[in-house]
Amino acid sequence: MSNFIVGLTGGIGSGKSTVAELFAARGAELVDTDAIAHELTAAGGAAMPALLAAFGPAMADRDGALDRAAMRRTVFADPGARQRLEDILHPLIRQISSARCRAAVSPYVILAVPLLVESGTYRQRCQRIVVVDCPEKLQIERVMARSGISRAEVEAIMATQATRAQRLAAADDVVSNDGDLTNLYRQVDKLDLEYLRLSSEIAKANH
Ligand code: ADP
């Protein structure tokens, strides 16, 4: 069991997934709440029966997976619907991510949570918080290039997230993702060594 959980977060488009993969490539097990949400809402996913019961069978696509576009439209128009969606998904995500962190055997685990700073329960689970940070302008450009959504849509999502300053205030460590990938590798290499050191100290203290 791994006793050292590093919570990784950042605003949309900051580079969280990219940085999470870099830690994973260096041997850390990755528990990603976004990926768990996708698993739960894929065809045959554990949340699908409850979601279809709550929102109707039209919310599934032809394969039986959640129709994300339809769901997005529904929750955008109706805050009550967003609450019902979260009431179904969030307990499952908390439960599965916690079980996976417990089952991990790497010296430290990266727990990637987009809204970590906004959520007390996830913050409490982490021994350390690393924030992927970049200027808002770059965030917007990256998301527009990745998803083909409009600037206004990216800004609307950013408005629902913690501010850059709030995230930085919660950070133990910061990865600055305003340069090229080589620059990112260097920062992750340094933090990887630091987390290996910290986790081995904790393991020794617990012995
Ligand atoms: P997040 O998971 O925080 O939403 P991603 O890791 O998916 O962000 O990054 C957003 C987009 O920007 C992706 O298409 C990714 O490949 C790209 N990207 C991230 N970091 C860099 C970088 N340093 N240089 C160039 N492109 C990057």
Side-chain angles (χ1 to χ4, degrees):
M1 191 180 106
S2 187
N3 282 312
F4 200 78
I5 299 178
V6 178
L8 181 145
T9 194
I12 181 171
S14 59
K16 280 183 304 298
S17 317
T18 308
V19 171
E21 289 304 330
L22 293 178
F23 278 110
R26 283 155 182 77
E29 284 186 53
L30 174 59
V31 177
D32 181 339
T33 55
D34 241 7
I36 294 171
H38 272 84
E39 288 170 29
L40 289 169
T41 54
M48 286 312 292
L51 289 175
L52 298 184
F55 294 100
M59 214 47 95
D61 66 17
R62 244 181 302 162
D63 302 325
L66 183 69
D67 182 338
R68 286 169 191 287
M71 194 74 233
R72 212 176 299 122
R73 282 193 297 274
T74 302
V75 301
F76 200 71
D78 176 2
R82 174 180 296 276
Q83 190 61 52
R84 288 200 299 282
L85 172 68
E86 292 182 351
D87 288 347
I88 292 170
L89 284 180
H90 286 186
L92 287 168
I93 297 172
R94 274 199 296 274
Q95 205 182 318
I96 294 170
S97 59
S98 167
R100 287 189 188 168
C101 284
R102 277 197 307 275
V105 294
S106 54
Y108 70 92
V109 183
I110 293 286
L111 173 62
V113 187
L115 299 182
L116 180 81
V117 169
E118 294 83 341
S119 148
T121 50
Y122 284 105
R123 274 177 81 162
Q124 276 170 15
R125 279 195 208 167
C126 303
Q127 273 64 53
R128 195 95 186 162
I129 292 178
V130 56
V131 166
V132 184
D133 178 61
C134 80
E136 279 112 354
K137 185 172 164 290
L138 259 180
Q139 256 180 287
I140 296 170
E141 281 169 14
R142 285 181 181 152
V143 178
M144 286 173 69
R146 179 187 61 187
S147 324
I149 63 177
S150 70
R151 173 176 300 272
E153 279 174 286
V154 186
E155 284 174 349
I157 294 169
M158 285 168 67
T160 67
Q161 302 189 336
T163 62
R164 191 177 175 196
Q166 283 166 333
R167 265 190 301 271
L168 288 174
D172 296 301
D173 304 300
V174 177
V175 173
S176 292
N177 190 14
D178 54 3
D180 59 15
L181 289 174
T182 315
N183 190 282
L184 217 52
Y185 297 156
R186 260 202 300 271
Q187 296 180 67
V188 173
D189 278 337
K190 255 174 93 176
L191 285 174
D192 174 54
L193 289 178
E194 176 74 358
Y195 297 152
L196 288 173
R197 189 180 64 75
L198 289 170
S199 59
S200 82
E201 273 175 16
I202 287 189
K204 265 186 236 146
N206 287 344
H207 231 67

